[in-house]
Structures are given as structure tokens and as C-alpha cells.
């Protein structure tokens, strides 16, 4: 039998972040380019004003739009829901002063995360010539842990 040992402690202190969900998405840049060219309202329908302002500052670069699209998809996968209880504009991908992507949740997405004990979602975006990819990690703490403890005690 093959076993992997690591230095991750089995028990952590209450309130320390733990991974609740992960998500990844990849999209062809040509697909996004065609959607933007063919459907006049594509960007406005899926992205907030803050996001579209960012795209405008970037010259409406397909790589920026595709990266943000993939990031939204990765975020909802990390939440474990998809876009079932909220809309595209409830998940907003912003950039800090260095260009690092950050997630802001509004409306139904925010409420869902509060219910699930998700306190923060980290996201990373990358792209090459043909594809954009994003990965998201949903992190929670004590509220999520107490739910798991209660469920374990019921077994």
C-alpha cells in the first residue's frame, strides 16, 4: 500500500480557515470573442459595471473578459451550486491595485455563502493564446466547522 505523509495537522484551532469547496473552469478565447461580437449585450448581461469598467480600461481585451468569465464559473463551482439561486452579476471579479483578482459577492450569492459558512473565496486566473482558466477556493471557519461537528455527532 502506498501512503503519503504530510505536515498538515489533523486538528486545527477553531476559527482558522478551512477549505469548503474548490472550483475550476477553462474556456476557449475564440468562443468568448464570438459571443462578444455576435451578441451586443453579452458583456452587460453577465458582468457588473465595475467589471465592464475594468474591461474598458483594458481595451475590451478578450483575455480579460474570458478570464473573468472563467473565474465566475470557478467561484460558483467552489460554492457548490452553479448559478441556480442567483445571477451572474451577484459574483463580481475585481482586481486590486496590482491586478490580483478578488471576489465580491452580492445578493443571492452572498446569502448562500453566509448560509454555507463560506467566509472568503480566493481566485486565480491565467490565460494563454487560446484558453483562459480560473481556479477558486471557498474558505470557511468556525460556522462551517460547527455544522460538521453536529453532523458527525449524529452518526
Amino acid at each position: 500500500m502506498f501512503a503519503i505523509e504530510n505536515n498538515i495537522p489533523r486538528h486545527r484551532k477553531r476559527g482558522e480557515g478551512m477549505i469548503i469547496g474548490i472550483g475550476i473552469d477553462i474556456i476557449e478565447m475564440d468562443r468568448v470573442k464570438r459571443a462578444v461580437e455576435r451578441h451586443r449585450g453579452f458583456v452587460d448581461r453577465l458582468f457588473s459595471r465595475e467589471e465592464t469598467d475594468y474591461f474598458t480600461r483594458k481595451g475590451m481585451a478578450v483575455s480579460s473578459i474570458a478570464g473573468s468569465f472563467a473565474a465566475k464559473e470557478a467561484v460558483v463551482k467552489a460554492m457548490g451550486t452553479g448559478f441556480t439561486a442567483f445571477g451572474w452579476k451577484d459574483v463580481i471579479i475585481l482586481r486590486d491595485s496590482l491586478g490580483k483578482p478578488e471576489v465580491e459577492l452580492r445578493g443571492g450569492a452572498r446569502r448562500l455563502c453566509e448560509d454555507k459558512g463560506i467566509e472568503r473565496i480566493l481566485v486565480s486566473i491565467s490565460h494563454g493564446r487560446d484558453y483562459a482558466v480560473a481556479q477558486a477556493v471557498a474558505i470557511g471557519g468556525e460556522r462551517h466547522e460547527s455544522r460538521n461537528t453536529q453532523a458527525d455527532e449524529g452518526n
Side-chain angles (χ1 to χ4, degrees):
M1 180 187 292
F2 183 78
I4 298 175
E5 291 187 28
N6 57 42
N7 63 351
I8 299 171
R10 287 200 162 273
H11 301 285
R12 57 182 190 78
K13 297 175 186 170
R14 279 202 177 281
E16 290 180 357
M18 62 188 247
I19 295 174
I20 296 174
I22 59 170
I24 190 166
D25 192 68
I26 185 168
I27 188 160
E28 295 175 48
M29 297 249 234
D30 270 353
R31 185 175 167 203
V32 173
K33 182 180 179 187
R34 285 191 310 270
V36 169
E37 290 172 351
R38 292 180 183 168
H39 306 287
R40 187 176 169 102
F42 176 80
V43 171
D44 291 331
R45 189 172 57 251
L46 301 180
F47 297 99
S48 71
R49 177 178 213 129
E50 297 94 333
E51 291 168 310
T52 58
D53 287 349
Y54 172 77
F55 301 152
T56 300
R57 287 193 307 276
K58 292 294 185 178
M60 293 303 282
V62 171
S63 59
S64 295
I65 298 168
S68 290
F69 182 93
K72 286 180 181 246
E73 288 280 358
V75 166
V76 299
K77 289 173 183 176
M79 292 168 60
T81 61
F83 287 102
T84 56
F86 50 87
W88 283 85
K89 291 183 180 182
D90 284 351
V91 176
I92 300 165
I93 308 300
L94 302 171
R95 305 309 193 281
D96 72 7
S97 61
L98 299 175
K100 177 185 165 209
E102 296 180 334
V103 178
E104 181 180 311
L105 301 173
R106 296 180 181 163
R110 183 181 182 109
R111 285 188 296 277
L112 184 90
C113 283
E114 289 170 355
D115 291 346
K116 289 182 144 226
I118 297 171
E119 298 167 357
R120 200 168 100 176
I121 300 177
L122 304 174
V123 67
S124 180
I125 301 171
S126 187
H127 49 77
R129 186 179 61 221
D130 298 324
Y131 295 94
V133 63
Q135 181 173 8
V137 179
I139 299 172
E142 192 170 318
R143 289 182 58 205
H144 183 73
E145 183 175 298
S146 65
R147 285 190 181 152
N148 286 342
T149 304
Q150 291 169 352
D152 290 343
E153 290 171 358
N155 290 334

